[in-house]
Amino acid sequence: MQPTATVLVYSDDSNTREQVRLATGKRPAPDAPLVEFLECATPAAVLKELDRGGIDVCVFDGESSPMGGMGLCRQVKDEVFNCPPVLVLIGRPQDAWLATWSRAEAAVTLPVDPVEFAASLASLLRQKPALSA
């Protein structure tokens, strides 16, 4: 059986979650594991899933409401033991410094560019061995 990675996607916008799924496909790169998505529309749902464990990478929408992905990223980096790497979706390239403040491992601008997003996600997946099998 091929290894799989679980990617948690947080956005209050179902279109943004769909952009992430479509940009990733079954796997973001030939040498990356197959991806299964876990979608969350609220910060509470994200915290519940992270507490449950088994998440390999998180993708947080920095433009989400009521809590943006960068604030949520900073919170989980402080509160979740062995927090998985986080890729933050930012509204403008000038917001990259905020992604650094949030302690995200990567940032990509919205709307999602499939090539840029897949490369960033694959890089994070290569750094962390898949937990699922």
Side-chain angles (χ1 to χ4, degrees), residues 10 46-47 50 58 60 67-80 83-84 86 88 97-105:
Y10 162 65
V46 170
L47 295 174
L50 287 172
C58 296
F60 291 168
M67 183 176 204
M70 288 183 270
L72 182 59
C73 179
R74 188 158 176 104
Q75 178 181 344
V76 300
K77 291 295 182 177
D78 285 341
E79 296 177 1
V80 176
C83 184
V86 178
V88 175
W97 72 272
L98 284 170
T100 302
W101 167 85
S102 74
R103 299 190 204 132
E105 283 78 5

Side-chain angles (χ1 to χ4, degrees), residues 81-130:
F81 179 70
N82 285 332
C83 184
V86 178
L87 187 159
V88 175
L89 304 173
I90 56 177
R92 311 172 302 153
Q94 297 88 337
D95 292 336
W97 72 272
L98 284 170
T100 302
W101 167 85
S102 74
R103 299 190 204 132
E105 283 78 5
V108 175
T109 56
L110 286 168
V112 173
D113 173 273
V115 174
E116 179 187 17
F117 178 83
S120 292
L121 180 59
S123 176
L124 293 177
L125 289 170
R126 284 184 202 107
Q127 294 172 21
K128 181 173 176 70

Side-chain angles (χ1 to χ4, degrees), residues 43-67:
V46 170
L47 295 174
K48 180 179 177 183
E49 293 300 335
L50 287 172
D51 282 344
R52 188 175 300 172
I55 307 298
D56 296 295
V57 174
C58 296
V59 177
F60 291 168
D61 179 3
E63 305 298 310
S64 281
S65 180
M67 183 176 204

Side-chain angles (χ1 to χ4, degrees), residues 5-51:
T6 301
V7 176
L8 184 148
V9 182
Y10 162 65
S11 179
D12 66 329
D13 184 345
S14 62
N15 292 324
T16 300
R17 296 192 308 265
E18 181 181 32
Q19 285 181 43
V20 167
R21 286 192 322 272
L22 292 174
T24 305
K26 292 183 180 184
R27 66 176 69 208
D31 63 334
L34 295 172
V35 171
E36 294 178 356
F37 292 100
L38 183 59
E39 296 184 32
C40 296
T42 66
V46 170
L47 295 174
K48 180 179 177 183
E49 293 300 335
L50 287 172
D51 282 344

